[in-house]
Amino acid sequence: MQLSRQPRNLRGNGWPRVAVPGLRASMVAKSVDPQSETSTAPEATPTCKTNRTFTAASTSAPVASSAVASSAVASSAVPLPGPSARPTPAELDGLRFKLDASVERWSTRETFMTAAISDPKDNKKASDLSGSNMRLADVLPRLLQPASGAGAAATDPKRAAHWAYHLVRHLGFNGLAFAGFAAHDLVERLQRLQRQVAGGGRGSSSGGTSRTPFEKLLEGAEAELAYRLSDFIEAVDQDYDNIRSGYYPLPWDMTSPRHRQYNPAYVAASSAAYVGEWVKITQRRLAKQPEPVWLDGGKLYPQYYNKTFHFQTDGWFSARSAFVYETTTEALFSGLQDIMQRTTLLPIADYVREAESGSGPASSASGASERSPAQLRLLEVAAGTGRFHTFIKDAYPDMRTVCSDLSPFYLARARNNMRYWRRLRARGRFLGGVDETGTEFLQTAAEDIAAPDDSFDIVVCVYLFHELPEAVRRRAVSEFARVLRPGGLLVLTDSVQLGDRPGLERNLDVFGNFNEPYYRNYLSCDLGSMCEEAGLTPDTKYLCSATKTLSFRKAAVGEAPATAPAV
């Protein structure tokens, strides 16, 4: 696909090799058995361990760290934090990566994750935050501004359509989340009444508190909705700016009138499945009792994988889990998950442009002077249901891609999604691969990829690393470097980390309460250093709402590989 791309606004020169006090020798990969629960628990991972509390006051904004990088360019000396300070991942990113304009765009925004998913005994709500008095009246006028929202209809009908589509998604998924909490509240009340009638006492299953998550949600509903709507406006504007600049096309599901998401029967079925699942998830979360995995995979699956992450039913091991997963995660993020994930396409677009122009390492990976997307090979690791993979294919239908995951149930769902994409977007085209979708499917673990060395030009991994023990993250990064061709591109997309969005960190760690045993460790993990140790060079950093994207390059033929920071 030929695109006319405008250059992105980048700051900083990237510092792939810096010496930072406080990054001790313990940062070197340890010999740890990734199958051992004790060896991979956060307490046993000194590289990512932090003594910071999860509050905005405990972190520094990444804007400051990028200023440090800029001053270092002028003085040829990197100002370093004091001996008692442990730099945040955002501060370290500012020394290693070129910073996309989105980094500063999001680093100063105030946001609050809904109080309904916080600890059941925690009375925090959005209206309690110091200086946080946002109301809907403060946000709604932005929807009518000429640059975006309804006000764009006269000047840019395409932007107005993009905005309207995502506003419907935003309100719809917010409403669905509201319905899920309301359904749980109703179930709790009915069960409480049943116990009272049976003489079983007046206790609740909500961990000893009389307030359900729904009741907590209602107390600060306006402020939380205002924060969500404010972030929605910012994210949708950023997404359309990327589309207008030619980095990727309009969402294919938006521009496909026959898409099942416009079918009331499909929407009703997926919504009903979500509400039923969310009631169970909330009950397990409040009781802190995840459901055991029904399937004993023996040695087929690593120990960390045999968890019911998010308290979801069946973990990764059922077709029903795969069916409801997309709706559950979109409802959790107010319909912004697709937008956040599409940030992953930015470094891919730059790489493809580089290959097509015959300039830089992207073109030299195979020795050819110019390479079309059809000559590139991409691997998506832990692709899950394959929804994001459809966005990759819609941008580059001729690119040869591989969709990998450990779960056969999620891979089957990914195959279904890819077939559906072809039926709506590439009917009659013979793209090769499975079902003529141009995609192959691979059941493999990220830390032991079943592919030869130098197999792929691009490796993509979205929302996986926060669910891996640190030792496994290191092995996965080494595998990414191994299967990449010289000059290849690695793109990691996952949750923001400490320092990326100080205005979000008041309760960012709440996601660790969703049976995410490695999430808090991930928040302070230095991914840049980890990838450098594997020989990958940091390239560019991007932010979008609660998601960060980091891109890395593997040294081309004749280039020296990256080296880890001095310790």
Side-chain angles (χ1 to χ4, degrees), residues 400-413:
R400 297 170 296 161
T401 64
V402 176
C403 192
S404 79
D405 201 85
L406 253 182
S407 169
F409 302 97
Y410 276 68
L411 281 174
R413 182 69 183 175

Side-chain angles (χ1 to χ4, degrees), residues 248-263:
Y248 46 83
L250 284 165
W252 71 274
D253 51 352
M254 166 191 163
T255 56
S256 301
R258 294 184 294 113
H259 196 282
R260 57 194 172 201
Q261 69 182 3
Y262 298 115
N263 184 330

Side-chain angles (χ1 to χ4, degrees), residues 37 291 293 303-309 315-316 515 517-518:
E37 290 298 315
E291 180 187 55
V293 174
Q303 186 174 347
Y304 71 84
Y305 195 72
N306 291 312
K307 295 181 182 292
T308 49
F309 287 90
W316 308 115
N515 201 28
Y518 313 111

